[in-house]
């Protein structure tokens, strides 16, 4: 009887299980997270049951005949992040699914080395990707950017290189490093950006002042360095590269490693070291041109779709020797250097970094947080801090021989916030606020009168940018920005200089203490600047694109333009600012037309920039000091026109052969005085031939031809008095060197070593060892540019 009851119980349980009601369902709607628009053809996969359905034209989906219980679904849609969602089914269950469907957010999950998206729809923008940057691992940011049309460099030898966009450099070019605007005394001609190029994933250049969210004073343009993006998953990867350099008999090593987690957290470390000795022109050693550079960074954070944060710390340290022959003791040294054709000082090769030289240290820290609000948009807030220390060492004798002649410390705090409203498919609005405090301390213990004074600087900015998409082909964008700047300085003037420049008449209220031969002054200046942009982007398919942009930009004068007063030792010239200087106002028109055919494409970009109250630094004469006679360079304001054209083209002749072509020209004129503008790059033409065969270990071979025309439009030279010759002579300081042509070669192959990839490259710059001098190299007065340079690169990805 007992056994019979057990059998009947088991049978009844089995009947109950078999007869369990599996008539439950899961239904809902798939929509965009931002604006709630429905997404059709989204895949909804029930993983446990391997049941897959798709959303209909109204975004609706339904899965029927489900048993109650816990499941996990996978939701996928073109151009969206795939989501895995746990769900409990109990009867009629409803689950609405929200996906990210905006292209702006896709760049956050692109694989390393992919192209970033436009920062502004209507501006001229070009991008350097990771594989291109790797070629310049031993070079500078400016050297890498010269690969782009419309970008040139103002340099002091081979190691101090400042990027210039459409003929403008310094404070007119904004550099954004991983979301932080660099503050590193960019005002000097021989002050290069304090950036380790090995820490960047991609670099994009926005030509003109169209990227208002970054600043309204970028009259030349904006350079944006971004970190490589990667997927949120459990991963560990990195790379190490070693470079050997023949010219300078040195090289560099760079390494980075990234650890990612499925929960979105990541941490990334990077470090690099570079060391070069004296470099060489084709016919002689360029004595005292070595460099030692250290760069390191640590980045961490958590990147989720709805919220996240990132933190970053970076350190950059560089000691840069400056060509010994460029250090002049007086005006007659400069006359002899210009006339002799080769350096006055040529010494045996050494790794020693002697005077004159620079030593710079830059610390950068930032913390950024973001939050997305469903149906509204994305909110960001960021705080960053920078400390920049600069030492400039002159050739001095006695007990001060190793003491810096210039010792500056710049501390900058910035707090910024912005909100991007993107809940409407056709209209997006972007609003932001920025506050910044900056303190500069000029150490008086150098034993030299301070070139730049102590000052406090306060900045406040706000912007509003809108983008309206009329249809799939036509997009309008416009924006406006207001910036307030206040400079509060404490500066000593020689009484004779104060009276010579007429400040005693125009600014008597600035004097707070009279010490007889010196006056202590307290200049306090306020600047209110407005910037604006408007433009459109018309695309008829993927192969035809037309952009137009108008940008109004105003830039407040920097401290060097206002307060420079004395001998700039590393530049070997006297520089004089002017406290009467006001803000520059730029009106720039840009047009860009791009067309891609099946195997051929080209881009044409004309532009015109009309700048009122343009601040120019130029040689004006000679001044006698206790050390001798030195050229005087003074700041003044005038009205200028810059008219230019950038053209690029490519052709895929076969699967293996490709050619690329770049041509850039810009004409600068001082319209007030009807003379050419100083330091405008010469027209240049670059042609590249590349062969690639993927099945041959990804072999790449390339030959590049660079032809730089002579700059025939330069300001007139000046007459100076020669103490040695006791007469006035014409100083050939503005004349430009001859045109030149150089060839560069590069090759690359990849080898699989287990699970790792080894990339080998050989680059040869100035292949034919050509003698030449570049107009925008300040050392052209004293020596030729670099001769042949062979670079061997080894990079291991792991």
């Amino acid at each position: 009887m007992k056994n019979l009851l057990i059998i009947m119980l088991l049978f009844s349980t089995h009947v109950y299980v078999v007869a369990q009601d599996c008539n439950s369902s899961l239904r809902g709607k798939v929509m965009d997270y931002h604006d709630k628009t429905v997404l059709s053809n989204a895949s909804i996969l029930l993983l446990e049951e391997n049941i897959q359905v798709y959303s209909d034209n109204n975004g609706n989906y339904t899965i029927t005949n489900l048993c109650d219980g816990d499941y996990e679904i996978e939701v996928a849609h073109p151009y969206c992040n795939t989501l895995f969602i746990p769900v409990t089914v109990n009867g009629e269950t409803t689950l609405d699914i929200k996906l990210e469907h905006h292209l702006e957010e896709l760049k956050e999950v692109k694989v390393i080395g992919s192209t970033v998206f436009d920062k502004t729809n209507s501006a001229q923008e070009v991008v350097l990707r990771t594989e291109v940057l790797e070629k310049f691992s031993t070079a500078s940011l400016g050297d890498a950017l010269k690969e782009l049309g419309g970008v040139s460099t103002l340099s002091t030898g081979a190691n101090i290189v400042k990027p210039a966009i459409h003929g403008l450099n310094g404070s007119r070019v904004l550099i954004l490093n991983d979301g932080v605007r660099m503050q590193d005394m960019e005002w000097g001609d021989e002050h290069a950006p304090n950036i380790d190029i090995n820490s960047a994933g991609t670099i994009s250049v926005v030509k003109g002042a169209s990227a208002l969210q970054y600043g309204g004073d970028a009259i030349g343009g904006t350079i944006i360095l971004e970190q490589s993006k990667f997927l949120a998953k459990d991963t560990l990867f990195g790379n190490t590269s070693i470079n050997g350099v023949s010219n300078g008999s040195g090289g560099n090593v760079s390494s980075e490693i990234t650890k990612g987690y499925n929960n979105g957290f990541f941490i990334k470390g990077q470090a690099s070291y570079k060391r070069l000795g004296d470099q060489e022109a084709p016919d002689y050693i360029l004595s005292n041109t070595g460099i030692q550079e250290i760069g390191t960074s640590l980045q961490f954070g958590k990147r989720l779709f709805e919220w996240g944060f990132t933190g970053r710390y970076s350190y950059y340290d560089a000691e840069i020797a400056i060509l010994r022959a460029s250090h002049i003791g007086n005006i007659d040294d400069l006359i002899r250097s210009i006339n002799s054709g080769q350096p006055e000082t040529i010494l045996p090769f050494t790794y020693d970094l002697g005077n004159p030289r620079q030593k710079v240290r830059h610390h950068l820290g930032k913390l950024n947080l973001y939050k997305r609000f469903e149906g509204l948009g994305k909110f960001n807030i960021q705080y960053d801090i920078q400390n920049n220390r600069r030492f400039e060492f002159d050739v001095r004798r006695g007990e001060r021989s190793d003491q810096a002649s210039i010792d500056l410390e710049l501390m900058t705090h910035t707090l910024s916030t912005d909100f991007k409203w993107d809940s409407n498919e056709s209209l997006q609005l972007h609003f932001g606020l920025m506050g910044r405090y900056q303190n500069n301390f000029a150490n008086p213990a150098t034993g030299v009168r301070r070139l730049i004074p102590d000052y406090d600087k306060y900045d406040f900015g706000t912007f509003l940018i809108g983008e309206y998409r009329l249809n799939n082909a036509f997009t309008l964008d416009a924006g406006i920005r207001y910036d307030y700047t206040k400079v509060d300085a404490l500066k000593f003037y020689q009484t004779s200089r104060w009276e010579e420049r007429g400040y005693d008449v125009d600014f008597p209220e600035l004097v707070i203490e009279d010490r007889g031969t010196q006056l202590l002054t307290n200049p306090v200046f306020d600047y209110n600047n407005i910037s604006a942009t408007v433009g459109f982007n018309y695309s008829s398919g993927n192969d035809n694109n037309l952009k137009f942009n108008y940008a109004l930009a105003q830039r407040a004068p920097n401290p060097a333009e206002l307060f420079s007063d004395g001998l700039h030792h590393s530049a070997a010239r006297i520089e004089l600012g002017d406290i009467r200087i006001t803000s520059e106002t730029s009106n720039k028109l840009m047009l860009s037309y791009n067309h891609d055919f099946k195997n051929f494409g080209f881009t044409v970009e004309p532009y015109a920039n009309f700048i009122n109250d343009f601040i120019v630094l130029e040689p004006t004469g000679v001044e006698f000091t206790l050390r001798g006679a030195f050229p005087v360079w003074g700041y003044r304001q005038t009205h200028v026109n810059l008219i230019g054209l950038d053209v690029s083209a490519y052709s895929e002749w076969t699967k293996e052969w490709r050619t690329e072509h770049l041509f850039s020209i810009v004409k600068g004129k001082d319209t007030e005085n009807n003379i050419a503008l100083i330091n405008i790059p010469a027209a240049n033409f670059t042609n590249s031939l590349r062969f690639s065969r993927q099945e041959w270990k990804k072999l790449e071979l390339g030959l590049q031809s660079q032809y730089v025309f002579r700059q025939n439009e330069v300001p007139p030279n000046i007459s100076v008095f020669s103490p040695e010759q006791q007469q006035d002579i014409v100083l050939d300081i503005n004349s430009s060197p001859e045109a030149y042509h150089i060839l560069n070669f590069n090759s690359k192959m990849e080898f699989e070593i287990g699970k790792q990839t080894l990339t080998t490259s050989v680059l040869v710059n100035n292949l034919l060892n050509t003698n030449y001098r570049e107009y925008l190299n300040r050392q052209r007065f004293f020596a030729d540019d670099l001769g042949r340079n062979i670079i061997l690169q080894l990079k291991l990805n792991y």
Side-chain angles (χ1 to χ4, degrees):
M1 184 68 180
K2 180 179 178 181
N3 291 337
L4 180 62
L5 288 174
I6 293 175
I7 292 173
M8 292 178 62
L9 179 63
L10 289 175
F11 178 77
S12 62
T13 303
H14 174 72
V15 171
Y16 172 79
V17 171
V18 172
Q20 181 182 356
D21 184 12
C22 288
N23 292 323
S24 296
S25 64
L26 176 65
R27 65 183 73 246
K29 189 183 292 286
V30 183
M31 66 189 76
D32 180 79
Y33 180 90
H34 296 271
D35 53 21
K36 304 295 183 66
T37 55
V38 298
L39 299 178
S40 61
N41 204 36
S43 166
I44 299 93
L45 175 64
L46 195 69
L47 296 176
E48 287 80 358
E49 303 294 335
N50 197 27
I51 299 173
Q52 185 175 27
V53 298
Y54 293 89
S55 58
D56 61 21
N57 291 335
N58 296 316
N60 296 315
Y61 74 94
T62 302
I63 304 176
T64 58
N65 299 322
L66 295 178
C67 299
D68 292 343
D70 295 329
Y71 297 91
E72 185 176 23
I73 60 172
E74 177 186 295
V75 187
H77 188 268
Y79 311 114
C80 292
N81 292 335
T82 298
L83 294 183
F84 292 88
I85 305 173
V87 59
T88 298
V89 174
N90 185 11
E92 297 284 334
T93 304
T94 300
L95 175 66
D96 290 336
I97 302 168
K98 304 177 183 66
L99 295 178
E100 166 56 38
H101 195 255
H102 279 201
L103 288 178
E104 181 228 350
E105 306 303 335
L106 288 180
K107 66 185 181 186
E108 298 190 4
V109 294
K110 284 289 184 180
V111 295
I112 295 172
S114 63
T115 303
V116 295
F117 287 84
D118 289 349
K119 305 298 179 298
T120 169
N121 279 296
S122 61
Q124 298 174 2
E125 182 182 347
V126 282
V127 178
L128 279 179
R129 297 183 295 172
T130 304
E131 55 266 30
V132 179
L133 295 178
E134 290 172 355
K135 291 172 49 180
F136 296 91
S137 180
T138 62
S140 69
L141 172 65
D143 291 320
L145 292 174
K146 286 171 66 176
E147 293 283 292
L148 304 175
V151 182
S152 54
T153 58
L154 179 66
S155 59
T156 301
N159 297 321
I160 302 175
V161 184
K162 295 173 66 70
I165 302 174
H166 287 170
L168 300 174
N169 62 77
S171 297
R172 302 179 184 96
V173 174
L174 187 159
I175 299 178
L176 204 75
N177 184 9
D178 192 25
V180 178
R181 176 170 176 161
M182 296 297 292
Q183 304 287 335
D184 53 7
M185 308 173 195
E186 78 282 350
W187 53 73
D189 284 351
E190 75 291 353
H191 296 180
N194 295 331
I195 291 176
D196 176 15
I197 193 172
N198 296 288
S199 66
T202 59
I203 302 178
S204 45
V205 176
V206 180
K207 304 173 186 178
S210 305
L212 289 182
Q213 63 264 43
Y214 307 121
D217 53 350
I219 292 176
T222 304
I223 298 169
I224 303 168
L225 293 85
E226 295 186 323
Q227 295 296 300
S228 300
K229 309 298 181 182
F230 49 88
L231 294 169
K233 64 179 182 179
D234 193 7
T235 182
L236 177 67
F237 62 91
N239 66 76
T240 297
S241 63
I242 301 174
N243 300 270
V245 181
S246 67
N247 199 328
S249 300
N252 83 316
V253 58
S254 176
S255 186
E256 68 176 41
I257 188 166
T258 302
K259 171 61 178 174
Y261 297 88
N262 289 328
N263 63 4
F265 187 82
F266 72 94
I267 185 169
K268 175 182 178 181
Q270 177 269 334
S272 65
Y273 175 76
K274 178 166 74 173
R275 187 74 166 94
L276 296 175
D278 289 338
Q279 297 170 293
E280 297 180 38
D283 299 326
Y284 44 77
I285 290 176
L286 300 169
S287 297
N288 200 48
T289 54
I291 182 174
Q292 179 173 267
E293 182 180 282
I294 299 171
T296 184
S297 64
L298 177 67
Q299 188 177 16
F300 62 91
K302 189 168 187 176
R303 293 183 179 272
L304 299 177
F305 173 65
E306 294 188 358
W307 69 276
F309 69 93
T310 57
R312 177 180 172 85
Y313 168 76
S314 69
Y315 173 73
Y316 176 85
D317 185 297
E319 190 168 3
I320 307 169
I322 298 175
L323 181 70
R324 180 64 179 85
S326 69
H327 179 83
I328 60 173
N330 52 58
I331 194 65
D332 286 299
D333 288 347
L334 182 59
I335 294 171
R336 282 191 295 272
S337 294
I338 291 176
N339 293 335
S340 67
Q342 73 174 37
E344 293 277 306
T345 303
I346 301 177
L347 301 173
F349 173 88
T350 179
Y351 287 101
D352 294 339
L353 305 177
N355 296 337
R357 62 189 167 95
Q358 299 179 1
K359 184 173 178 60
V360 294
R361 291 198 300 262
H362 191 94
H363 298 267
L364 182 154
K366 81 156 190 178
L367 181 63
N368 173 274
L369 298 95
Y370 69 87
K371 169 67 177 174
R372 290 187 176 89
F373 295 92
E374 184 178 340
L376 290 174
K378 181 180 178 182
F379 171 77
N380 279 284
I381 186 168
Q382 177 173 299
Y383 167 74
D384 57 77
I385 182 172
Q386 298 177 68
N387 177 271
N388 191 71
R389 191 76 183 270
R390 165 173 287 273
F391 302 92
E392 296 187 8
F393 296 86
D394 191 13
V395 178
R396 307 172 77 178
R397 294 173 177 83
E399 57 185 31
R400 291 186 180 272
S401 60
D402 201 37
Q403 185 174 13
S405 298
I406 292 179
D407 180 355
L408 300 174
E409 184 173 13
L410 187 70
M411 180 69 76
T412 307
H413 302 265
T414 304
L415 179 65
S416 60
T417 182
D418 67 274
F419 183 80
K420 188 167 187 178
W421 179 71
D422 54 10
S423 61
N424 187 297
E425 188 174 4
S426 300
L427 176 66
Q428 294 186 4
L429 295 175
H430 195 183
F431 171 76
L433 297 168
M434 179 278 298
R436 178 180 296 120
Y437 167 70
Q438 188 173 84
N439 172 263
N440 182 73
F441 173 71
N443 191 347
T446 60
V448 177
R449 189 155 54 92
R450 293 177 286 182
L451 179 69
I452 303 294
D454 297 342
Y455 66 83
D456 292 313
K457 185 167 176 277
Y458 307 86
D459 295 290
F460 170 78
T462 181
F463 69 87
L464 176 63
I465 300 171
E467 175 189 316
Y468 181 64
R469 187 178 300 275
L470 293 176
N471 50 51
N472 290 334
F474 202 90
T475 301
L476 294 171
D477 62 18
I480 188 168
R481 182 182 178 103
Y482 166 75
D483 285 284
Y484 169 77
T485 299
K486 178 180 179 178
V487 179
D488 186 345
L490 281 174
K491 175 166 177 58
F492 283 98
Y493 280 95
Q494 290 179 325
T495 303
S496 57
R497 179 84 74 194
W498 184 263
E499 294 173 350
E500 166 198 304
R501 302 186 70 80
Y503 294 160
D504 57 327
V505 176
D506 295 342
F507 304 101
E509 73 281 1
L510 299 185
V511 178
I512 60 175
E513 186 177 340
D514 188 341
R515 299 188 179 182
T517 59
Q518 287 195 103
L519 301 173
L520 177 60
T521 66
N522 180 209
V524 180
F525 301 120
D526 298 282
Y527 305 93
N528 294 276
N529 294 325
I530 295 291
S531 303
T533 181
V534 62
F536 69 81
N537 182 343
Y538 176 75
S539 300
S540 58
N542 296 326
D543 56 356
N544 198 23
N545 185 265
L546 176 67
K547 294 182 178 182
F548 169 80
N549 182 267
Y550 162 74
L552 164 70
Q554 290 188 306
R555 181 183 74 89
N558 66 44
E561 295 162 341
L562 291 169
F563 304 123
S564 291
D565 177 29
L567 184 60
H568 195 166
H569 292 268
S570 67
R573 68 192 186 194
I574 293 170
E575 295 179 4
L576 297 178
D578 192 336
I579 57 177
R580 300 181 181 89
I581 285 177
T582 59
S583 294
E584 295 177 332
T585 301
S586 163
N587 291 273
K588 187 170 186 179
L589 300 169
M590 297 180 290
L591 186 68
S592 175
Y593 178 69
N594 168 258
H595 195 100
D596 287 311
F597 300 91
K598 183 178 181 181
N599 298 309
F600 169 73
F602 67 88
T603 302
V604 180
E605 298 179 332
Y607 60 90
N609 198 354
F610 308 99
I611 308 177
N612 294 329
D613 298 317
F614 181 81
I615 305 169
V616 60
L617 175 64
E618 61 187 5
T620 59
V622 172
E623 186 172 301
F624 293 87
T625 71
L626 293 176
R627 286 190 48 198
F630 286 89
V632 176
W633 288 62
Y635 288 96
R636 67 177 177 89
Q637 287 192 283
T638 186
H639 301 325
V640 304
N641 293 343
L642 292 162
I643 310 296
L645 175 68
D646 299 330
V647 179
S648 62
Y650 72 90
S651 182
E652 302 277 1
W653 297 97
T654 68
K655 181 181 178 181
E656 291 85 13
W657 292 95
R658 176 187 174 97
T659 58
E660 297 178 352
H661 315 273
L662 291 173
F663 174 75
S664 293
I665 185 172
V666 55
K667 298 290 185 180
K669 187 174 184 180
D670 178 347
T671 57
E672 245 184 67
N673 300 285
N674 197 30
I675 59 174
L677 196 59
I678 194 172
N679 287 340
I680 296 299
N684 57 88
F685 198 14
T686 301
N687 298 286
S688 302
L689 174 66
R690 190 181 75 182
F691 172 82
S692 62
R693 180 67 69 87
Q694 292 296 302
E695 54 268 31
W696 293 355
K697 303 293 184 182
K698 296 186 178 180
L699 172 68
E700 289 186 13
L701 300 172
L703 186 66
Q704 183 186 67
S705 164
Q706 293 181 330
Y707 186 85
V708 178
F709 296 83
R710 180 172 185 172
Q711 178 55 278
N712 293 319
E713 299 180 6
V714 295
N717 290 308
I718 61 175
S719 294
V720 300
F721 178 77
S722 167
E724 286 186 2
Q725 303 179 39
Q726 287 296 301
Q727 63 178 344
D728 288 332
I729 66 169
V730 175
L731 183 62
D732 200 22
I733 199 169
N734 282 329
S735 297
S736 61
E738 297 295 327
Y740 63 88
H741 176 234
I742 59 175
L743 293 176
N744 303 315
F745 169 81
N746 68 276
S747 65
K748 184 170 75 170
M749 294 183 74
E750 290 187 5
F751 301 90
E752 299 298 328
I753 303 177
K755 295 182 179 181
Q756 285 75 44
T757 302
L758 177 66
T759 303
T760 63
S761 304
V762 176
L763 299 93
V764 185
N765 298 324
N766 195 0
L767 180 66
L768 303 180
N769 209 28
T770 301
N771 293 88
Y772 73 97
R773 299 195 182 198
E774 165 58 45
Y775 171 61
L776 291 183
N777 188 339
R778 292 180 58 253
Q779 291 185 359
R780 75 179 190 275
F781 304 122
F782 313 104
D784 290 335
D785 262 277
L786 291 186
R788 183 185 298 114
N789 190 15
I790 302 173
I791 304 171
L792 173 63
Q793 296 183 334
L794 300 175
K795 180 183 178 184
L796 181 66
N797 290 304
Y798 45 84

